[in-house]
Amino acid sequence: MSDKSRFTTALQTIVTRNRSPLFRWSLSLGLCVVAFALRYGLSDALPPGFPYLTFFPAVIVTTLLAGLWPGVVSAVLCGLASWFFFIAPANSFALNAGATTALLFYAFIVSVDIVIIHGITVTAQHLKAERESMARLAHSLQRSNLALAERESEQQVLSQEIGHRLKNQLALVQAIVSQTLRSKNDLPGISKTLTERIGVLADAQDMLIAGSAGHASVADIVQKIAALHGNEGQRRIVADGPAIKLSSKPTLTLSMILHELATNATKYGALASVDGVVNINWSVESRQGVEAFVIKWVEQGGPAVEQPQDKGFGSRLVRAGLPSSGSEVIMDFRPDGLVCTISADLAGMQSEQIG
């Protein structure tokens, strides 16, 4: 067994082990006390600005070993302790600009940690239940050793596929967080933008789950974006193109790029004007003997547009989710409206193995 497989098995064992309520809640409270004692002991050795140094690990370990609600309680208790004792003014629940920013930062980080760990736990529990169900079926039918070996091989492939898709999503989340932190300066703006962008990822993931073999159609992706940004009974976003299905990572990436285009169009482009419309067309084109997937976003009837100084968010997402060979996002800021052309190798867009 490889180191990666051993780590995956050990992690699944940790998060799926049944533990008594007494153990889980005792662990939650105990780690809070230990975290507080360590932070109090390090108070004189640390410079200002580290109120949560020992509390983050306590919340993470509690959620991993004790589950969702003990983790939430641990996060609340640790947050209150750090607020009262280690955020100026000390020994007080007074709120000022600095305390508010620190608390919002803490709440955002622990919320993301808890959601990710809880998601891993639920996935591991589902995998465990599926393995147990398969084992019972094999036992009832008295399958041969060869059949059991084949089932184990299939389970290994399933685990690798889940790990691959989780890696794809984490790469996109990393790109989203990195770009958001660079483009926003205020914490509320960061939180709002991250919530919207991760919400789009979640919607795209729902499409993959509902689709065939983890694929989603381009029409469904475009329809989801059009519904999200609301036509209000008018055909403000007009879409047309053949039936094409994309694999998981290109689906997530294309959803994010179209969401950013629609958001900017609502703020500054065609959708900001009463008469403005957006046409989305996609097709398959032959380029030097290779089939390429091409989708165009064309804005008309909006205010005059100007090319921004910074590099677009969609361009940064290309490396995270589109095939590396021949992929590009071209932003043409024409006087009568933005034209964005996204192109990529069709076979790469329909394959899970993206370079």
Side-chain angles (χ1 to χ4, degrees):
M1 181 182 294
S2 66
D3 293 340
K4 181 178 179 180
S5 297
R6 282 195 293 268
F7 173 78
T8 301
T9 301
L11 181 61
Q12 289 180 351
T13 301
I14 290 173
V15 300
T16 58
R17 179 175 298 171
N18 291 325
R19 298 179 175 88
S20 67
L22 177 62
F23 172 86
R24 294 189 296 116
W25 288 107
S26 297
L27 179 68
S28 176
L29 296 175
L31 287 179
C32 287
V33 172
V34 171
F36 174 81
L38 287 175
R39 179 61 184 83
Y40 188 84
L42 294 173
S43 183
D44 294 334
L46 293 175
F50 294 87
Y52 310 112
L53 182 64
T54 60
F55 294 111
F56 283 133
V59 174
I60 292 172
V61 173
T62 298
T63 307
L64 189 64
L65 299 181
L68 175 63
W69 291 112
V72 172
V73 171
S74 175
V76 173
L77 293 178
C78 289
L80 291 174
S82 59
W83 180 12
F84 187 84
F85 290 101
F86 305 113
I87 297 178
N91 301 320
S92 169
F93 285 120
L95 273 178
N96 52 39
T100 301
T101 300
L103 288 172
L104 289 174
F105 175 80
Y106 170 80
F108 175 76
I109 295 299
V110 296
S111 297
V112 171
D113 289 342
I114 290 173
V115 168
I116 291 176
I117 294 172
H118 181 62
I120 293 173
T121 300
V122 171
T123 301
Q125 289 172 344
H126 288 169
L127 288 174
K128 180 182 178 181
E130 184 175 347
R131 285 199 303 270
E132 292 173 349
S133 176
M134 291 171 62
R136 288 193 298 269
L137 179 61
H139 178 73
S140 65
L141 297 177
Q142 294 296 312
R143 291 183 175 178
S144 65
N145 291 335
L146 177 60
L148 290 174
E150 291 175 351
R151 284 292 184 182
E152 183 65 24
S153 176
E154 291 174 1
Q155 185 61 44
Q156 183 67 24
V157 171
L158 177 61
S159 297
Q160 291 174 352
E161 175 66 14
I162 291 176
H164 174 71
R165 292 193 178 181
L166 180 60
K167 181 180 178 181
N168 287 346
Q169 292 191 52
L170 289 177
L172 286 174
V173 170
Q174 182 181 20
I176 291 168
V177 172
S178 177
Q179 166 62 12
T180 303
L181 292 176
R182 283 197 297 265
S183 62
K184 301 288 184 181
N185 296 321
D186 60 303
L187 192 59
I190 291 174
S191 177
K192 181 177 183 297
T193 303
L194 279 177
T195 299
E196 291 176 351
R197 290 174 173 174
I198 293 177
V200 173
L201 276 183
D203 289 340
Q205 185 62 42
D206 288 341
M207 284 190 289
L208 292 172
I209 294 174
S212 173
H215 287 61
S217 71
V218 177
D220 287 343
I221 297 171
V222 173
Q223 183 180 12
K224 196 74 174 180
I225 295 299
L228 178 65
H229 291 271
N231 286 340
E232 298 180 353
Q234 302 177 3
R235 291 179 59 82
R236 302 292 304 281
I237 299 180
V238 182
D240 182 57
I244 300 175
K245 286 187 175 293
L246 306 181
S247 59
S248 61
K249 195 169 184 179
T251 292
L252 300 176
T253 303
L254 183 60
S255 297
M256 289 303 307
I257 294 176
L258 293 180
H259 168 67
E260 292 300 315
L261 290 171
T263 299
N264 289 334
T266 302
K267 292 180 179 179
Y268 316 111
L271 299 183
S273 172
V274 175
D275 299 323
V277 295
V278 174
N279 288 280
I280 307 176
N281 301 282
W282 62 91
S283 61
V284 176
E285 300 179 3
S286 178
R287 297 187 175 182
Q288 298 180 347
V290 177
E291 288 189 327
F293 168 74
V294 180
I295 182 169
K296 289 188 176 182
W297 172 284
V298 182
E299 298 184 24
Q300 295 177 326
V305 296
E306 297 181 0
Q307 183 168 354
Q309 298 298 319
D310 59 336
K311 190 176 182 181
F313 182 53
S315 300
R316 293 188 175 96
L317 281 177
V318 172
R319 292 184 179 179
L322 298 184
S324 58
S325 176
S327 298
E328 61 179 357
V329 176
I330 299 176
M331 308 288 284
D332 186 3
F333 294 90
R334 300 178 182 177
D336 55 341
L338 169 68
V339 176
C340 175
T341 304
I342 304 168
S343 60
D345 174 60
L346 178 63
M349 295 289 284
Q350 296 177 329
S351 170
E352 293 294 344
Q353 302 299 325
I354 294 179

